[in-house]
Amino acid sequence: HDFAAPPSGNTCVTGTPEYLLTSMVADIRVTCPSVLLAQYYAKHFRSPVYNYVAVQCPSATAREYGARYSYHSWDANALFNLSFPPKPDFRPSALDWELVTTVQA
């Protein structure tokens, strides 16, 4: 299991202070603990363990507070056909629907 492989296919505008901060916070709060848990399960269970890192950002600003990058549950929202839009006027792009297809595969 290569849980340390860097994700590819990032659709976010990277390198901005906001991106760096939100990425760091997401890594500390979500990604690192998930990877540790996946590594533990892979070592102690016989069934396959899958872990992924979603790197696709919403095509438009997410949430009312103006976040431009992915937010906690963006991938879960994709699992349910974007039934819970990040804001009422959100119009999914082709890339957003591509995430839906990928997550549901």
Side-chain angles (χ1 to χ4, degrees):
H1 302 287
D2 187 11
F3 294 114
S8 61
N10 192 336
T11 61
C12 302
V13 177
T14 60
T16 66
E18 179 186 4
Y19 177 79
L20 296 173
L21 176 65
T22 55
S23 295
M24 180 181 65
V25 170
D27 285 350
I28 291 169
R29 295 183 67 205
V30 179
T31 307
C32 293
S34 296
V35 168
L36 287 174
L37 191 60
Q39 288 173 332
Y40 177 83
Y41 287 161
K43 183 177 179 181
H44 296 285
F45 291 91
R46 291 186 179 159
S47 56
V49 175
Y50 301 94
N51 183 50
Y52 72 95
V53 176
V55 295
Q56 192 261 359
C57 291
S59 59
T61 301
R63 304 283 185 176
E64 286 74 26
Y65 54 80
R68 291 186 290 167
Y69 305 107
S70 296
Y71 57 91
H72 186 62
S73 77
W74 173 236
D75 53 342
N77 193 3
L79 182 62
F80 295 103
N81 287 321
L82 303 175
S83 300
F84 311 100
K87 28 190 250 194
D89 61 346
F90 179 73
R91 299 290 177 256
S93 72
L95 273 176
D96 296 326
W97 289 114
E98 189 176 308
L99 176 67
V100 169
T101 302
T102 300
V103 170
Q104 292 179 355

